[in-house]
Amino acid sequence: MMTNEHNKHLSKYMLRLACVLVAYTGLLIGGNILDQHLVLLQWQRVAIALLPVLPAFAFIFVVLAFVRNMDEVWQKIITESALISAGIIGISTFTLGFMEEVIELPGGILIWIWPAMIGLQGITMPIVKRRYS
């Protein structure tokens, strides 16, 4: 059963997460619009392209604060699913590195590593949770 304290903490987390995602989306879309409609120097284009990374850092701290307020069992579940995800994605990128030596792979794949880790953690979490139920 969820307590009022838990609900309050969850609401605060969701609000912070929403702010981070809005900032990320705004900087990503805004940066693309600026890059398409203005003539910019290379360093300016690089700076604009890197702006969405700032909310990504904030995301880490928002999630970390949320996990720190979880009970120990949920912390174990989160940690194990994160380690499984990191391991699978790590081995996958390691494998792709070897494959690059023998076949041509599409460019732009690096941007999908972090979203893949987050998505895979979400998939593995219910599996890990069964171990503790």
Side-chain angles (χ1 to χ4, degrees):
M1 182 176 216
M2 290 191 188
T3 64
N4 283 339
E5 183 65 28
H6 177 78
N7 286 336
K8 181 179 168 185
H9 182 64
L10 183 60
S11 296
K12 186 188 264 188
Y13 166 72
M14 295 303 286
L15 177 63
R16 289 177 178 169
L17 185 60
C19 289
V20 166
L21 292 175
V22 166
Y24 169 79
T25 304
L27 289 170
L28 183 66
I29 293 170
N32 284 335
I33 290 170
L34 285 174
D35 191 42
Q36 290 173 2
H37 291 84
L38 298 176
V39 177
L40 301 168
L41 299 172
Q42 186 67 23
W43 73 267
Q44 293 168 320
R45 293 185 72 212
V46 169
I48 289 171
L50 293 176
L51 284 175
V53 174
L54 297 175
F57 276 110
F59 172 83
I60 294 169
F61 293 105
V62 168
V63 172
L64 187 58
F66 183 65
V67 171
R68 284 181 176 155
N69 285 308
M70 291 179 174
D71 65 34
E72 291 176 2
V73 173
W74 269 104
Q75 286 179 354
K76 282 185 175 186
I77 292 168
I78 297 287
T79 302
E80 284 185 33
S81 61
L83 288 170
I84 292 167
S85 172
I88 291 171
I89 298 300
I91 291 170
S92 298
T93 58
F94 190 59
T95 303
L96 284 173
F98 284 116
M99 290 173 56
E100 280 183 328
E101 297 296 321
V102 293
I103 63 172
E104 188 172 330
L105 296 173
I109 200 166
L110 288 176
I111 200 165
W112 294 105
I113 292 173
W114 195 31
M117 287 178 68
I118 293 168
L120 190 55
Q121 181 179 0
I123 292 168
T124 60
M125 206 175 321
I127 298 165
V128 172
K129 183 179 178 247
R130 282 191 292 171
R131 218 176 132 207
Y132 292 95
S133 296

